[in-house]
Amino acid sequence: MRQLHNLQNWYHGLQQRERQLVLAASVVIAATMFYLIIWEPIHKSIAEQTQKYQSQVGILQWMQNAANEVKILKASGSANRKVSSTQAVTLLVEKSAASAGIKPYLSRLESTSNKGARVTIDAASFDQLLLWLNTLQTQYGISVTSANLDRNDKPGAVNARMTLKRD
């Protein structure tokens, strides 16, 4: 309170022209402080949020386009399958294993139903096994419902016990 009183005394002790100059400087300082402390941060924040929003809208549009493309690819992939409902899964598995080079490693193949089979494979190349499983899925609609893979002593080879089922 005393400092305010001292400031008033100092201000009233100034000449009229000096008072006008101090008042004008105070207005300029107050306007500058308002701009720096309030206006600029708000304006900058609004610009950043607008930019983030535009970025998110772009990502959303990309994702919607990608989702549509996935739907189209899924539809075309299922239309191109060579699923034969008359052939047993074991027959399709054996035929595709022979063409994929997996048949020599196929130690056991038994039917669980017309739409399923259990397969045991010993010492097959892991990469070759994955390619064969992909072929089963894409060409015949046969997928793995359960699998147990163990590393074999031979580098890059695995022992596998799998249950396969046609979609």
Side-chain angles (χ1 to χ4, degrees), residues 37-141:
I37 294 173
I38 297 172
W39 184 260
E40 186 180 16
I42 290 174
H43 183 67
K44 193 180 280 187
S45 176
I46 289 172
E48 287 175 5
Q49 293 301 320
T50 302
Q51 184 180 6
K52 285 180 184 177
Y53 174 76
Q54 293 299 328
S55 173
Q56 294 297 320
V57 166
I59 291 170
L60 175 64
Q61 289 173 345
W62 178 84
M63 290 179 90
Q64 287 172 337
N65 291 339
N68 288 336
E69 188 175 339
V70 166
K71 286 178 186 176
I72 290 168
L73 290 173
K74 271 188 173 181
S76 69
S78 63
N80 290 338
R81 281 190 186 157
K82 300 175 188 172
V83 178
S84 174
S85 60
T86 58
Q87 291 183 324
V89 171
T90 53
L91 181 61
L92 294 172
V93 168
E94 190 171 6
K95 187 169 93 174
S96 65
S99 64
I102 295 285
K103 190 163 183 177
Y105 307 106
L106 193 63
S107 63
R108 187 173 184 188
L109 174 60
E110 61 184 46
S111 178
T112 57
S113 68
N114 191 32
K115 291 188 171 194
R118 281 193 201 102
V119 179
T120 303
I121 296 174
D122 294 321
S125 165
F126 180 71
D127 295 338
Q128 196 174 13
L129 180 67
L130 289 181
L131 290 172
W132 174 63
L133 291 173
N134 183 50
T135 301
L136 281 175
Q137 174 67 42
T138 56
Q139 290 187 1
Y140 302 107

Side-chain angles (χ1 to χ4, degrees), residues 24-41:
S26 298
V27 169
V28 168
I29 289 172
T32 303
M33 295 298 283
F34 173 78
Y35 176 79
L36 292 175
I37 294 173
I38 297 172
W39 184 260
E40 186 180 16

Side-chain angles (χ1 to χ4, degrees), residues 10-11 14 17-27:
W10 170 79
Y11 180 73
L14 296 174
R17 190 166 177 90
E18 291 173 333
R19 278 190 227 155
Q20 289 174 349
L21 187 62
V22 167
L23 188 60
S26 298
V27 169

